[in-house]
Amino acid sequence: MFKINDHIIYNNMGVYRIVDIRKEKDINNIDTDYYILKPAYGNNLTIKTPVNSKKVFMRKIIKRDDVISLIESLPEQKPMWIEDNKKRNELFKATLKKGEPRGWANLVRTLYLEKKEKSAVGKKLMKIDEDIMKVAEKNLYEEFAAALNITPEEVLPFIMNHVS
């Protein structure tokens, strides 16, 4: 069970902070504990979700030391690019859905490298790859920002300083 003020990843929608835990009646009139979540960055959408919900993915964000070691391991990670569009799309979506920062980081790195390669010959990534990259970047940068106590905009320069 999480505590008030914990930062969590909620359903691959980014980082949320638990602002309250309250007991309320559910639709069956049964007392149920709910997390009240507010996004750490961006929109102002408050979410109420049952503490014991199996329908949503929730996990605590990783710690600062884990962020640093993940960043330092990035150059050794094998890119996950697959030429077959359908198989690549399935792999990338599954990686996003898994909700693991290592997978998100490798996804962002893979797409960044592919984008750079295509750009060098005057080509672009497919729109679906661009869209997946945006989601992976948002989730990864928010999680790293919360763990490092910086803004999401400061994450990329932080990563570049640690891998150069």
Side-chain angles (χ1 to χ4, degrees):
M1 191 162 143
F2 305 117
K3 301 184 301 286
I4 292 175
N5 289 324
D6 279 353
H7 282 89
I8 64 165
I9 297 296
Y10 176 78
N11 232 16
N12 294 321
M13 289 173 52
V15 176
Y16 281 73
R17 188 171 64 85
I18 297 174
V19 295
D20 197 9
I21 301 171
R22 45 175 102 124
K23 193 177 286 294
E24 294 182 11
K25 302 260 187 230
D26 67 11
I27 57 171
N28 299 318
N29 209 27
I30 297 169
D31 279 339
T32 304
D33 289 324
Y34 288 91
Y35 291 126
I36 308 302
L37 311 171
K38 288 220 181 254
Y41 309 99
N43 69 48
N44 206 12
L45 175 74
T46 300
I47 293 174
K48 180 171 83 171
T49 187
V51 167
N52 298 324
S53 176
K54 302 285 186 252
K55 292 180 182 170
V56 294
F57 172 80
M58 293 185 284
R59 69 164 171 80
K60 233 178 171 170
I61 63 165
I62 62 175
K63 299 195 179 327
R64 178 183 178 82
D65 292 346
D66 296 326
V67 170
I68 305 290
S69 60
L70 176 51
I71 290 169
E72 289 170 352
S73 77
L74 281 174
E76 291 104 52
Q77 286 191 22
K78 183 177 176 277
M80 51 198 299
W81 187 260
I82 299 172
E83 287 303 324
D84 182 297
N85 294 340
K86 188 173 192 257
K87 287 181 180 167
R88 182 178 65 249
N89 190 11
E90 287 170 4
L91 173 65
F92 286 2
K93 283 184 174 178
T95 302
L96 270 182
K97 190 175 177 166
K98 232 181 200 175
E100 296 172 352
R102 182 167 299 282
W104 290 341
N106 196 14
L107 192 52
V108 170
R109 180 175 177 270
T110 297
L111 285 161
Y112 172 80
L113 292 172
E114 191 64 25
K115 185 176 187 174
K116 192 174 167 184
E117 199 175 292
K118 285 188 181 306
S119 181
V121 293
K123 293 185 176 180
K124 292 182 174 184
L125 284 177
M126 290 179 60
K127 179 162 179 9
I128 187 73
D129 293 325
E130 283 281 355
D131 292 345
I132 286 172
M133 186 174 179
K134 283 179 187 154
V135 173
E137 281 179 329
K138 176 192 177 293
N139 290 345
L140 186 70
Y141 291 3
E142 282 188 9
E143 182 163 12
F144 280 14
L148 297 168
N149 202 23
I150 60 177
T151 67
E153 294 74 30
E154 294 172 295
V155 170
L156 185 56
F158 184 91
I159 292 171
M160 298 313 271
N161 284 338
H162 277 77
V163 293
S164 337

